[in-house]
Amino acid sequence: MDYAKLDASLSAAVAAGDDGPEVRNLLVTVVLTAAPTEPQCEVLRGAGVDVGAADRSVVSGTLSRRGVEELSHAPWVRSLALSSSRRPL
């Protein structure tokens, strides 16, 4: 895991993960260095990220600890941050 790319709250959530590395329970915002290429989109989708429009450099998704680790090692990922879940008003 490249903890330099993770914000403090995501680092704590990954460290405290008792559910196992495959459980997708972390809502994460991923900041990319540029808009993703098609192979990068496939990696993002495999990790649980909603790529949406291919011209976006900030994406989000519900990731497992293993997905966070995989993306933290990708050179085209600038940073990962834990997102707060939204509630209806």
Side-chain angles (χ1 to χ4, degrees), residues 15 20 40 49 74 79 81:
Q40 292 169 347
V49 175
S79 64

Side-chain angles (χ1 to χ4, degrees), residues 2 6 20-21 23 35 37 42 47 49 51 54 79-80 86 89:
D2 184 355
L6 277 58
V23 176
T37 63
E42 290 302 316
V49 175
V51 178
S79 64
L80 296 111
R86 296 187 174 187
L89 297 173

Side-chain angles (χ1 to χ4, degrees), residues 6-88:
L6 277 58
D7 73 343
S9 57
L10 182 56
S11 294
V14 167
D18 298 328
D19 298 332
E22 296 300 325
V23 176
R24 292 180 186 261
N25 61 352
L26 300 170
L27 184 58
V28 178
T29 299
V30 183
V31 179
L32 308 171
T33 57
T37 63
E38 190 54 41
Q40 292 169 347
C41 285
E42 290 302 316
V43 171
L44 290 166
R45 284 187 199 104
V49 175
D50 178 21
V51 178
D55 61 343
R56 295 174 35 197
S57 62
V58 178
V59 292
S60 63
T62 305
L63 280 65
S64 65
R65 287 183 6 223
R66 189 176 312 273
V68 170
E69 180 174 7
E70 179 182 339
L71 292 181
S72 75
H73 291 297
W76 40 270
V77 172
R78 181 173 292 152
S79 64
L80 296 111
L82 188 63
S83 301
S84 59
S85 56
R86 296 187 174 187
R87 293 180 218 125

